[in-house]
């Protein structure tokens, strides 16, 4: 039941390249989306004067995206580069179903 969980949604994902700390690359399909954007009226009331919140992104990637014994350091998606701030495997029992991570876009911007 837990096998191939990510494969069911992968066709809806975008092309990703995951770079690791050993110079390896893994090409796969996954999802990158902003996680801390506020898109409603009145957002200026919640920001301190002179500050700009830094947008972070959620990464969802298949089990094969990160190779055993290696650490993901960069994600390439849609012509943009994202630094990996943190990533962890998500398990159902002992089966790795997918990876979830938090990213920051290099160079800023959305």
């Amino acid at each position: 039941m837990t096998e191939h969980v990510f494969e069911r949604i992968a066709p809806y994902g975008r092309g990703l390249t995951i770079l690791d700390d050993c110079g390896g690359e893994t090409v796969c399909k996954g999802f990158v989306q902003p996680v801390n954007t506020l898109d409603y009226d009145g957002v200026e009331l919640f920001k301190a004067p002179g500050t700009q919140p830094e947008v972070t992104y959620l990464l969802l990637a298949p089990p094969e995206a990160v190779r055993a014994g290696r650490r993901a350091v960069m994600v390439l998606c849609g012509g943009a580069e994202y630094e990996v701030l943190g990533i962890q495997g998500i398990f159902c029992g002992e089966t790795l179903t997918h990876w979830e991570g938090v990213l920051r876009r290099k160079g800023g911007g959305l």
Side-chain angles (χ1 to χ4, degrees):
M1 171 112 180
T2 61
E3 295 175 2
H4 313 294
V5 169
F6 197 84
E7 288 180 16
R8 295 179 194 146
I9 63 169
Y12 305 103
R14 299 177 69 190
L16 304 176
T17 301
I18 312 290
L19 307 178
D20 64 41
D21 59 344
C22 296
E25 294 183 4
T26 303
V27 177
C28 57
K29 276 195 160 188
F31 303 87
V32 173
Q33 68 181 48
V35 294
N36 64 349
T37 56
L38 300 174
D39 58 349
Y40 55 86
D41 292 343
V43 68
E44 296 301 321
L45 298 174
F46 298 100
K47 291 193 293 185
T51 63
Q52 175 73 19
E54 186 172 330
V55 177
T56 54
Y57 295 81
L58 171 67
L59 168 70
L60 298 176
E64 65 274 9
V66 180
R67 298 176 189 177
R70 297 190 179 182
R71 185 174 59 85
V73 294
M74 187 77 60
V75 175
L76 309 176
C77 179
E81 296 181 354
Y82 300 88
E83 174 187 5
V84 176
L85 301 178
I87 190 168
Q88 68 178 28
I90 304 300
F91 290 83
C92 184
E94 294 187 19
T95 303
L96 175 64
T97 62
H98 66 285
W99 292 90
E100 292 184 6
V102 177
L103 311 175
R104 176 176 49 217
R105 185 167 178 176
K106 287 187 75 171
L110 297 174

